[in-house]
Amino acid sequence: MSLIHAEYLKITRRKLFPMTLLAVGVLMALIAFFATVFAEVVPEMGGLAIEKPEAYEFGAQQAASLTWLPLVLTVAVVGGEFSTSVWATSLTRNPNRVAHIGARLVIFTIASWLAFVFGAAVFAAIVAFAGAGSGGPEISEWLGYLWRFAAIALAWTSLGLGAVALMRSMVLALVATLGFSLVDSTVAVFVDAYEPFSLTAASTGLFEGGLLGGPFASLVPGADLTSGQSLAIVAGWTLFGILLTWWGLQRRDA
């Protein structure tokens, strides 16, 4: 628990996490306005607004699509440690690598999960007060959004840790992971054969409604995946990220 507490202190005592929450809140507020309210404000856009109750799942899906979030949080904080002597010092105090990896994975996954939840909550609040339509998700559906956020946050956090452990450079790891996210999402749209392997597509495919049921579903990675397939893909990438972290630390031990 001491390692988990140490990681908790690292992320809560830096400005990065609150600034990330602020950025997520502003971005989700803008998306909510243009997706659900703008058509009401501008009558010429009538018919294009996403109405309740579908708007709530759309918002959850949009929050989960912010895959850069766990990458930035993980790489920015952990990358600074792995590129210096901090990691070596930590190992002298506690040589259990599994505990070190697990503590970082837990804390940064929770931090990313909280950011996803915050973004979805901002979107939902705007929809509730200003969106058209009526009704909303059942409690079971809200709970379903929460575990989906956790699964997605865990997968992308593990990849961030793997990149840092392998490269030992915050800049290189950030470029590599964000580049992967961009390429992964782009290829999944245009190459059907890659969709069953895409983490971006699986992150979206965990949600059955939202964009997946709209007129532009064919342009959304994950539209052809079932929830079960998506969860299996997310689990596979999570395992890959954890193994990459372990291999990187073994291969380039401090």
Side-chain angles (χ1 to χ4, degrees):
M1 290 300 294
S2 60
L3 287 175
I4 292 179
H5 185 253
E7 296 303 319
Y8 166 78
L9 293 178
K10 289 175 188 176
I11 197 167
T12 55
R13 292 183 177 181
R14 302 189 184 196
K15 296 180 179 179
L16 177 63
F17 187 57
M19 292 300 293
T20 300
L21 289 180
L22 177 61
V24 169
V26 171
L27 180 59
M28 291 301 296
L30 288 173
I31 294 175
F33 174 77
F34 285 106
T36 65
V37 182
F38 185 68
E40 300 296 324
V41 177
V42 183
E44 294 79 5
M45 298 293 292
L48 296 181
I50 302 175
E51 299 184 357
K52 306 171 188 174
E54 292 80 8
Y56 291 105
E57 182 159 6
F58 176 83
Q61 198 175 75
Q62 288 299 296
S65 70
L66 303 178
T67 55
W68 54 266
L69 197 157
L71 296 176
V72 170
L73 286 177
T74 305
V75 173
V77 178
V78 181
E81 297 181 4
F82 282 6
S83 60
T84 64
S85 60
V86 174
W87 168 248
T89 303
S90 299
L91 281 179
T92 59
R93 297 173 180 171
N94 187 340
N96 190 338
R97 291 182 179 81
V98 174
H100 281 279
I101 295 173
R104 289 168 171 83
L105 197 61
V106 167
I107 290 301
F108 289 99
T109 295
I110 292 175
S112 300
W113 178 82
L114 287 173
F116 286 151
V117 172
F118 177 71
V122 170
F123 192 103
I126 294 175
V127 170
F129 287 103
S134 60
E138 301 289 338
I139 294 180
S140 59
E141 293 180 271
W142 286 116
L143 294 177
Y145 298 157
L146 297 183
W147 74 256
R148 286 172 172 83
F149 289 152
I152 294 168
L154 178 61
W156 288 97
T157 298
S158 68
L159 289 180
L161 280 178
V164 168
L166 187 63
M167 299 178 180
R168 299 297 175 92
S169 168
M170 180 177 65
V171 175
L172 289 179
L174 198 57
V175 170
T177 51
L178 293 179
F180 166 76
S181 177
L182 177 61
V183 172
D184 182 74
S185 60
T186 303
V187 174
V189 173
F190 298 104
V191 182
D192 293 338
Y194 179 70
E195 189 176 31
F197 304 96
S198 169
L199 180 55
T200 303
S203 299
T204 305
L206 284 176
F207 298 86
E208 297 177 354
L211 278 173
L212 300 185
F216 303 105
S218 61
L219 299 177
V220 180
D224 298 326
L225 299 174
T226 66
S227 296
Q229 289 175 319
S230 299
L231 187 59
I233 296 169
V234 169
W237 279 104
T238 300
L239 180 60
F240 173 76
I242 294 173
L243 292 177
L244 187 64
T245 303
W246 178 262
W247 182 67
L249 294 179
Q250 290 289 95
R251 178 172 174 266
R252 301 189 60 185
D253 202 357

